Amino acid sequence: MAQPVLISAEAVEKILQYRELVPRLEVALGKFSNGKGEIVQPVRSVLAIEKYNGYLGVMPAYSAHDDVLATKIVAFYQRDQPSSIPAHQASVLLFDPEHGTLMAVMDGKVITEKRTAAVSAIATKFLKPVQADVLCILGSGVQAVSHYEIFTEMFSFKEVRVWGRTKENVDRFARTVRGPVRVCSSVKEAVVGADLIVTVTMATKPVLFAEWVKPGAHINAVGACRPDWRELDDVLMKSAVLYVDTREGAMKESGDVILSGAEIFAELGEVVNGEKPALHEKTTVFKSLGKNNQTLVSSSNGNTKHPSLHSLHQHWHRSVGHC
């Protein structure tokens, strides 16, 4: 039996491009929400590692349309002190759906960063106000960087603001991104007057409050992926029109949704399919938790018989030799 291909973050980075990823993810969102059962994906299973303040999540999924079977395994940790070890680490396992044979083990870091940011950009395309000149990013880690990259690639802004918990992290963010950014000393300073807001923090209590948010703004709420974690306050959650990637996941995993009692208006896929309206004239929130069908698309390039595995494999041999 052939050994599974090992695919590094560097190899994935070179091949996974936003211009190809975004349209495929948009299709995947629609398929997930169309009620035809084309994609099978249970809510992720999460194991708490209380001794080290960490979590291990397992996210299997199968796409009958693309004939792709994969599982993402992600570890995420809350750390009080700065660390050289990433707070999020992930691997994607790609299987032959006919026989169950493990075909590839892919570093999931780049896939997670780009997929998450791309889905936020899709939500923003549908839900943003007509005039969106100011982007605000709350958080300064890798997800903040990936959101900056795709948002400035897909949209035009007069100003981009960022806030982070520590000066060290924000300065690193400013050095990393390719473009201008205004570093803000408080969340309020970053948020007031912003048309688009992205929250990519490790907060467990609300950091974004309705009183600071411009009426008609759109918010992509990406952090707070546990049922007792929060990024947004109750007033904002209840007053905004709430969109999610999956109703089932939001009602089981999102503290912002569960603890606020906010009513879900639609899944993003329902908007993509034209089944629910994009109320971009109102204040909107897209609560993103991540679905593994999105990882399927990212790891398979959206085609049958694992063409991206072939593409990645060929690239791997050309760039770094045999595994």
Side-chain angles (χ1 to χ4, degrees), residues 183-200:
V183 175
C184 297
S185 59
S186 69
V187 175
K188 182 178 179 180
E189 179 188 348
V191 167
V192 171
D195 304 294
L196 301 177
I197 303 168
V198 178
T199 61
V200 281

Side-chain angles (χ1 to χ4, degrees), residues 70-217:
T71 294
K72 176 181 171 182
I73 301 175
V74 57
F76 51 104
Y77 283 70
Q78 293 177 290
R79 298 191 177 102
D80 295 328
Q81 301 298 324
S83 173
S84 60
I85 301 173
H88 289 71
Q89 300 180 73
S91 296
V92 176
L93 280 61
L94 194 62
F95 297 89
D96 174 359
E98 184 176 359
H99 302 104
T101 305
L102 179 62
M103 299 177 64
V105 179
M106 308 171 66
D107 187 287
K109 175 180 178 292
V110 174
I111 292 175
T112 300
E113 291 168 13
K114 289 198 170 187
R115 181 264 297 157
T116 304
V119 172
S120 293
I122 293 167
T124 300
K125 184 182 79 169
F126 283 99
L127 301 173
K128 72 179 182 69
V130 175
Q131 191 73 20
D133 295 327
V134 179
L135 169 65
C136 162
I137 301 175
L138 302 180
S140 53
V142 293
Q143 281 292 348
V145 172
S146 62
H147 277 76
Y148 181 98
E149 290 174 346
I150 190 170
F151 273 61
T152 54
E153 179 178 319
M154 288 184 58
F155 312 107
S156 296
F157 302 104
K158 294 181 180 178
E159 184 180 40
V160 180
R161 307 170 185 169
V162 65
W163 168 86
R165 288 186 303 166
T166 68
K167 185 178 185 300
E168 179 185 4
N169 288 346
V170 176
D171 288 346
R172 184 186 303 115
F173 172 90
R175 291 193 304 268
T176 302
V177 299
R178 300 176 181 176
V181 61
R182 172 185 159 192
V183 175
C184 297
S185 59
S186 69
V187 175
K188 182 178 179 180
E189 179 188 348
V191 167
V192 171
D195 304 294
L196 301 177
I197 303 168
V198 178
T199 61
V200 281
T201 75
M202 288 293 287
T204 58
K205 295 181 180 179
V207 295
L208 180 60
F209 296 86
E211 62 190 272
W212 301 336
V213 175
K214 180 179 179 179

